[in-house]
Amino acid sequence: MAAILLCMTASGAIASEAENGFRMNWFAGFGLTFGGDELAEVEVYNDYFDESYDEDIRAGELATLTAGIVVYLPTPSWSLQASIGYHVDDVSTDDDIRFDRYPLELIPFYNFGNHRLGAGISHHLSPELELEGFLGPDVEFEDATGWLVEYDYSFRGWEEGGFVLGIRYLWIDYEADRINGLPAAGGDVDGNHVGIHVNYQF
């Protein structure tokens, strides 16, 4: 849904920008997130320091990559952002140990000065926990929908684009669908998290 809206909004914004006062920026960004239930804990051995330590995988962490568009409406106080991203938490070993998913998001924003506030929807595609190499289960979760609030600050102002620094909070739960390819039944996993991000609009 968000991908379709992304394409429709982009084509509509380009076609009507001159005559109707719409304006559009593309953007790309990187973020860090913190929170969510612990899904797994792995003991990792460091050859250099000759010691072991524990790393965990959480349902609300760790790194995000995002790209999309922001359409500024003829009323200058409002804009609409649509994006697709990749969100992953992994363990620093040679094995395939990670929890990842692909968020599609749609967020209306109220812009004032160099600031903006928004609240929107985040739909996560193909959430999956992989524990290959540690004889743990591979867990496929159902696609999940959550809600978020976000505050951003533009260093150059929304008319100019450039770097944007922001903070957000997202509420979402994941429900297991299959474990090692077999149907699963169980409780929800809490993926709620806080995040910080840097975007660049152009």
Side-chain angles (χ1 to χ4, degrees), residues 132-153:
E132 295 180 13
F134 280 82
L135 302 180
D138 286 346
V139 183
E140 299 175 30
F141 294 86
E142 296 181 1
D143 294 349
T145 301
W147 304 94
L148 63 89
V149 292
E150 180 170 322
Y151 163 78
D152 293 324
Y153 177 81

Side-chain angles (χ1 to χ4, degrees), residues 28-185:
F30 170 79
L32 295 173
T33 63
F34 310 91
D37 287 345
E38 182 179 294
L39 299 175
E41 185 175 83
V42 176
E43 184 177 4
V44 179
Y45 179 72
N46 188 306
D47 291 326
Y48 184 79
F49 292 103
D50 191 26
E51 63 180 12
S52 298
Y53 58 94
D54 293 333
E55 285 194 26
D56 59 11
I57 300 285
R58 291 190 170 272
E61 296 184 357
L62 174 66
T64 61
L65 295 173
T66 309
I69 60 171
V70 184
V71 176
Y72 295 91
L73 306 180
T75 302
S77 297
W78 292 96
S79 60
L80 183 65
Q81 178 172 295
S83 66
I84 184 170
Y86 178 66
H87 192 175
V88 63
D89 187 13
D90 63 4
V91 171
S92 55
T93 72
D94 294 332
D95 297 303
D96 192 9
I97 304 167
R98 66 171 58 92
F99 175 61
D100 60 2
R101 55 279 198 204
Y102 299 87
L104 301 175
E105 295 185 348
L106 188 65
I107 312 172
F109 283 99
Y110 178 74
N111 312 305
F112 52 103
N114 287 33
H115 312 270
R116 69 179 184 179
L117 284 173
I121 188 171
S122 182
H123 184 69
H124 292 197
L125 300 175
S126 303
E128 185 174 3
L129 173 66
E130 300 175 76
L131 297 175
E132 295 180 13
F134 280 82
L135 302 180
D138 286 346
V139 183
E140 299 175 30
F141 294 86
E142 296 181 1
D143 294 349
T145 301
W147 304 94
L148 63 89
V149 292
E150 180 170 322
Y151 163 78
D152 293 324
Y153 177 81
S154 172
F155 290 92
R156 294 171 55 185
W158 305 111
E159 293 291 332
E160 302 295 330
F163 283 102
V164 174
L165 179 65
I167 186 170
R168 56 162 46 193
Y169 193 88
L170 186 143
W171 294 265
I172 194 166
D173 290 326
Y174 302 104
E175 184 175 348
D177 182 38
R178 305 184 74 82
I179 298 178
N180 289 336
L182 300 176

